[in-house]
Amino acid sequence: MPVHLAAGYELGHGRLVPTLAAIIALVSVVAAIRALVRPHRPTALVALITALAAIVVGAVHGGNAAGGLGTGNGLAGAVVAVALGAIGLLLAGLALLRSTRKPVA
């Protein structure tokens, strides 16, 4: 079911899924940064899980996308989702290491 946003443009299934995956990946980056600023294990776990979900959805959609960039199949959104998901995964891993490490006295 396409969503009509403006005249001549509709956000169909091909663009909606990777766009949502990219938004989820952005949420993972923000959550990981928050977990790094203030070490909080549950926030780091949320960042880790959302990053993994964004990477999987983006990779599956990117692998199944027909055509290249600019064809309206959502390949650009899938690439952004994987890239942001990887950043979120790295930052979440760092935040988890920071939250589990005991302070040196």
Side-chain angles (χ1 to χ4, degrees):
M1 177 164 97
V3 177
H4 298 286
L5 299 176
Y9 181 82
E10 56 182 46
L11 185 62
H13 183 266
R15 290 182 180 154
L16 183 63
V17 172
T19 301
L20 290 177
I23 291 170
I24 290 171
L26 184 61
V27 167
S28 76
V29 171
V30 171
I33 290 172
R34 287 189 63 183
L36 278 171
V37 171
R38 294 182 182 215
H40 192 238
R41 188 171 176 84
T43 306
L45 288 174
V46 166
L48 183 74
I49 292 168
T50 55
L52 286 173
I55 289 172
V56 168
V57 171
V60 167
H61 191 84
N64 292 329
L69 292 173
T71 58
N73 59 13
L75 184 60
V79 169
V80 170
V82 171
L84 284 176
I87 293 169
L89 188 66
L90 177 71
L91 293 175
L94 289 173
L96 278 174
L97 284 176
R98 257 180 102 182
S99 70
T100 58
R101 218 175 8 170
K102 297 192 189 240
V104 178

